[in-house]
């Protein structure tokens, strides 16, 4: 049997209807996993989005949940417990970004970003942890950070800071909970030609050449490459990993800056 076989694994993914979430769901389902997809979209919109991408919905359960709202996250996990479908793997993946120079960055946008990228990830990871501990079972947390967790890419400073914080949250969960059989790791993608980076690609004429210059391998990352990282980390192949960052960035973090 393949070490990448995920049959029987229940994987929860926040932000599942986003540009990177979709290929991740597709690949994990193809490898036999059952997906608990969380997003803020209505159920109708979410299922339409997934269907449009030719995703087989058979092994997917969708829960509309605003993960910045602790009560909604608590209700979600109580329901999963009642249905006996507590996840084995919880991916704290939802996030947002906004490119604005530091001097102009509105404080309310800073708060909104931290609320989703950092605080909501903590809410979800903490709730999963509470349930795993109460049931005396292990679990695996996967946080989506970014190569900019370690590199101050200009004009997204609050985003960089949120991802640096998420990396340390991951290491804290890993360190504190390893004796209880709970692991935590992170996936740090580079500059992906999809989702939040695509917005910049479309709206800022110089962004593509600036981005490509910053990537030693020379081309923007594909969403499928991010999905492959999820497959690996969710699989048995990564069973001995905890407290690690899987950095998949085409070497972007090797350069001190784009120019
Ligand atoms: N696209 C990139 O270049 C890139 C690079 C590195 C890391 N990342 C990270 O990958 C993750 C996903 O990025 P993406 O490009 O797919 O973004 P995206 O904007 O396409 O998707 C984000 C998803 O999160 C959902 N969401 C937003 N607020 C929510 C809330 N309160 N509760 C539940 N769901 C909510 C949105 O509805 C959306 O479906 C983020 O954490 C991002 O920081 C992206």
């Amino acid at each position: 049997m393949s070490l990448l076989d995920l049959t029987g694994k229940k994987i929860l993914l926040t932000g599942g209807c986003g540009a990177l979430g979709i290929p991740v769901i597709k690949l994990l389902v193809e490898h036999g996993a059952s997906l608990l997809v969380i997003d803020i979209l209505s159920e109708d919109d979410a299922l339409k989005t997934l269907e449009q991408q030719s995703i087989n919905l058979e092994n997917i359960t969708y829960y509309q949940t605003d993960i910045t709202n602790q009560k909604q996250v608590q209700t979600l996990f109580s329901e999963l417990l009642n249905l006996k479908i507590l996840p084995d793997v919880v991916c704290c993946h939802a996030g947002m970004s906004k490119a604005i120079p530091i001097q102009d960055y509105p404080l309310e946008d800073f708060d909104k970003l931290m609320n989703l990228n950092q605080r909501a990830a903590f809410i979800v990871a903490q709730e999963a942890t509470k349930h795993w501990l109460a049931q005396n079972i292990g679990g695996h947390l996967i946080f989506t950070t970014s190569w900019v967790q370690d590199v101050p890419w200009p004009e997204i400073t609050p985003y960089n800071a949120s991802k640096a914080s998420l990396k340390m949250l991951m290491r804290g969960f890993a360190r504190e909970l390893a004796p209880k059989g709970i692991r935590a790791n992170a996936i740090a993608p580079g500059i992906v030609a999809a989702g939040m980076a695509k917005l910049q690609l479309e709206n800022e004429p110089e962004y593509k050449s600036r981005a490509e210059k910053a990537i030693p391998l020379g081309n923007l990352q594909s969403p499928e490459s991010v999905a492959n990282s999820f497959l690996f980390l969710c699989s048995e192949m990564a069973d001995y990993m905890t407290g690690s960052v899987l950095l998949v960035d085409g070497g972007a973090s090797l350069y001190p800056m784009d120019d």
Side-chain angles (χ1 to χ4, degrees), residues 14-22 38-41 62-69 92-97 116-117 120 144-148 159 162-163 166 187-199 207 221 226 230:
T14 69
C17 296
L20 303 190
I22 300 270
I38 312 301
D39 207 289
I40 203 165
L41 302 183
Y62 180 73
Y63 292 91
Q64 180 182 9
T65 309
D66 177 354
I67 58 163
T68 64
N69 182 320
C92 298
H93 174 71
M96 61 180 291
S97 177
L116 180 64
N117 291 13
T144 304
T145 61
S146 164
W147 69 290
V148 299
Y159 179 77
S162 75
K163 295 300 184 181
L166 205 52
I187 291 171
I191 305 176
V192 189
M196 47 189 64
K198 193 162 172 245
L199 270 182
Y207 183 78
Q221 186 172 7
V226 178
F230 273 87

Side-chain angles (χ1 to χ4, degrees), residues 138-232:
H140 186 192
L141 297 164
I142 298 176
F143 296 86
T144 304
T145 61
S146 164
W147 69 290
V148 299
Q149 65 191 3
D150 300 314
V151 178
W153 183 259
E155 300 191 352
I156 53 167
T157 290
Y159 179 77
N160 305 337
S162 75
K163 295 300 184 181
S165 162
L166 205 52
K167 177 180 168 185
M168 184 50 90
L169 271 185
M170 176 281 286
R171 285 166 54 80
F173 274 84
R175 177 66 185 86
E176 198 171 321
L177 297 163
K180 304 288 184 191
I182 296 172
R183 297 186 295 120
N185 290 292
I187 291 171
I191 305 176
V192 189
M196 47 189 64
K198 193 162 172 245
L199 270 182
Q200 271 190 284
L201 279 171
E202 283 164 359
N203 298 326
E204 295 174 32
E206 284 162 27
Y207 183 78
K208 190 164 185 283
S209 57
R210 184 158 77 99
E212 283 176 349
K213 209 166 147 198
I215 306 171
L217 287 187
N219 53 310
L220 292 160
Q221 186 172 7
S222 71
E224 289 71 28
S225 138
V226 178
N228 288 338
S229 315
F230 273 87
L231 173 60
F232 169 70

